[in-house]
Amino acid sequence: MKPFHTLALGALVSALAGCGGSDSDNASGTPQPQPPAQPVTLTLSSTTLRTLPGGAGIAVTAASSGTGTIQWKLADGAPGTLSSTTGTSVTYTPPANGVAKTTLVPIVATSGSTSTTLTVAVTPEPGPSGLTLLAGHAAPESADGVGAAASFLYPRRIAADTAGNVFVLEHYTSRPSLPTPGRLRKIAPDGTVTTLIGGRDPQRAWFGQADTANNARRFTEPTSLVVDRTGNFYYGNAYGSGGASSNGGSSLLKITPTGTLSVLAGVETAASTGIADGTGSAARFMYPDAVGIDYDDVIYVQDLNNVARKVTTAGVVTTISSLPRSLHADMHGNTYEYDAAARTLVQTSPSGARKVVAGAPTCDGFKPGPLPGCLPSVQHLIVAGGSTLVLLGDGLVVKLVLPH
């Protein structure tokens, strides 16, 4: 029986070969389906997001997962020019003439069918360098007014919008078990201070209206504040710090310019915390500190243990490796920190070089005038323009214009 089986197997192989059943014949026949191509990812980065008319150019670099040519352009009607239309990097040159208000400039990069945008800003000419008082005085009060006639009660954070307004976040808790509602104050460019949240008049306690929805209860001990380019506010509430419940979750909330309050991401009313990416209520925070927002309205959060997160205005939360340096950089890519021991403001360049740009160890309190001047005891600072910083300290909000 063995010879019979050997003959049958040989015949079967011959038959398959005659029918085109071999691997070599199949390869030269009908093409087999190919796996779908992976989409090209394209990300843009820069050392700064802001400049001045006639100021420093902004270098933008693209990183692509594809091999195709990267093409660049400015959005239609955007002022200024790009150094090239193709390549892995370009430099944006702002217009030489002044702008009356902050002008947003979308820079668009395209590779194949993938496009992405990085928006930068040309901020108005801030005037001569030096220190000026925007508003406030040393007495711990909360009074509206203009300039030094206004005051702030336990101010914690400041934020600025693209219209030149500065916002001050106030809150105070005498006991952790008895949180008190925070306040939100607005400083107009002319120094006029008004109260948006809180205040003595209950009929105007929430954006000029009575707080019938008891929103102030959800604005208890906010951890942070940022403002997007259309005037929406975003603030963090941390677990156990108040909010809708003393046992509430950690969340990022949004307030529209007219006062509508909603949860953007995280869980406000349940004791649910953690580090989890997701959209809206599927995301989790431990201690969401909203430390900055870019001109594409991406919010950046420093969570517990220095975990960096980014949050879109659609509530999509993603953990990232680090916060972008450009968030807090002037038009040259320099960042700033306050040296409390020396009472000075220290500038760090992109290369790591450090130098003192304002203040002096011999100073005793704020004094306006030319730089280096004398600073308040700075507790928070923001970069609000190509060469402009805003400082908060000793109950004062101070504008610092750098040489430019």
Side-chain angles (χ1 to χ4, degrees):
M1 298 297 291
K2 288 182 180 179
F4 174 81
H5 285 294
T6 302
L7 180 62
L9 180 59
L12 178 60
V13 171
S14 298
L16 289 173
C19 294
S22 70
D23 290 342
S24 59
D25 285 346
N26 186 57
S28 62
T30 304
Q32 298 299 303
Q34 297 297 314
Q38 295 298 313
V40 172
T41 60
L42 186 61
T43 58
L44 306 182
S45 62
S46 65
T47 57
T48 184
L49 297 173
R50 50 192 67 84
T51 188
L52 296 173
I58 299 177
V60 183
T61 301
S64 174
S65 64
T67 58
T69 300
I70 298 173
Q71 298 178 320
W72 300 86
K73 69 173 185 177
L74 296 178
D76 292 344
T81 59
L82 293 177
S83 60
S84 177
T85 57
T86 60
T88 57
S89 64
V90 294
T91 297
Y92 167 73
T93 300
N97 297 325
V99 295
K101 61 180 181 178
T102 295
T103 302
L104 300 181
V105 180
I107 301 172
V108 184
T110 301
S111 179
S113 60
T114 301
S115 293
T116 190
T117 300
L118 176 72
T119 302
V120 300
V122 181
T123 61
E125 164 61 43
S129 62
L131 292 161
T132 56
L133 176 70
L134 286 179
H137 59 254
E141 302 171 339
S142 188
D144 292 345
V146 179
S151 58
F152 303 98
L153 184 64
Y154 305 108
R156 304 298 186 190
R157 290 289 188 92
I158 49 177
D161 64 13
T162 57
N165 301 300
V166 176
F167 301 90
V168 181
L169 180 63
E170 302 176 349
H171 72 78
Y172 169 71
T173 299
S174 58
R175 291 182 296 164
S177 61
L178 188 62
T180 56
R183 291 187 180 92
L184 181 61
R185 318 285 301 285
K186 174 184 175 181
I187 308 173
D190 66 356
T192 300
V193 178
T194 53
T195 300
L196 301 180
I197 297 176
R200 296 180 175 87
D201 183 358
Q203 298 305 311
R204 298 180 58 83
W206 190 265
F207 289 81
Q209 304 175 31
D211 186 15
T212 55
N214 200 17
N215 286 324
R217 183 168 169 260
R218 302 170 66 186
F219 198 70
T220 299
E221 293 192 50
T223 61
S224 51
L225 179 73
V226 294
V227 190
D228 71 16
R229 59 188 184 184
T230 56
N232 297 301
F233 302 92
Y234 303 89
Y235 69 94
N237 259 350
Y239 169 71
S241 67
S245 167
S246 61
N247 293 318
S250 295
S251 53
L252 192 67
L253 288 87
K254 172 184 176 181
I255 309 175
T256 68
T258 57
T260 301
L261 177 61
S262 61
V263 177
L264 179 66
V267 180
E268 182 189 19
T269 57
S272 181
T273 61
I275 302 292
D277 293 346
T279 301
S281 60
R284 293 291 182 270
F285 301 98
M286 288 296 294
Y287 193 93
D289 184 359
V291 296
I293 186 169
D294 65 20
Y295 293 113
D296 290 299
D297 287 346
V298 177
I299 305 155
Y300 291 89
V301 172
Q302 189 82 65
D303 215 328
L304 193 65
N305 296 324
N306 294 322
V307 175
R309 326 283 298 278
K310 70 175 183 179
V311 187
T312 70
T313 52
V316 179
V317 181
T318 307
T319 299
I320 56 179
S321 59
S322 62
L323 298 172
R325 175 189 172 90
S326 58
L327 278 179
H328 307 295
D330 68 10
M331 66 178 176
H332 298 292
N334 303 311
T335 57
Y336 298 85
E337 61 182 303
Y338 178 66
D339 184 337
R343 300 181 180 179
T344 57
L345 190 70
V346 180
Q347 177 193 87
T348 302
S349 73
S351 66
R354 292 167 62 86
K355 69 175 183 178
V356 172
V357 295
T362 56
C363 289
D364 184 18
F366 169 68
K367 294 180 182 178
L371 297 179
C374 287
L375 303 174
S377 298
V378 178
Q379 65 188 84
H380 190 220
L381 66 88
I382 58 173
V383 177
S387 63
T388 303
L389 279 67
V390 180
L391 317 176
L392 171 66
D394 298 334
L396 310 175
V397 179
V398 173
K399 178 182 176 180
L400 188 159
V401 177
L402 298 158
H404 54 281

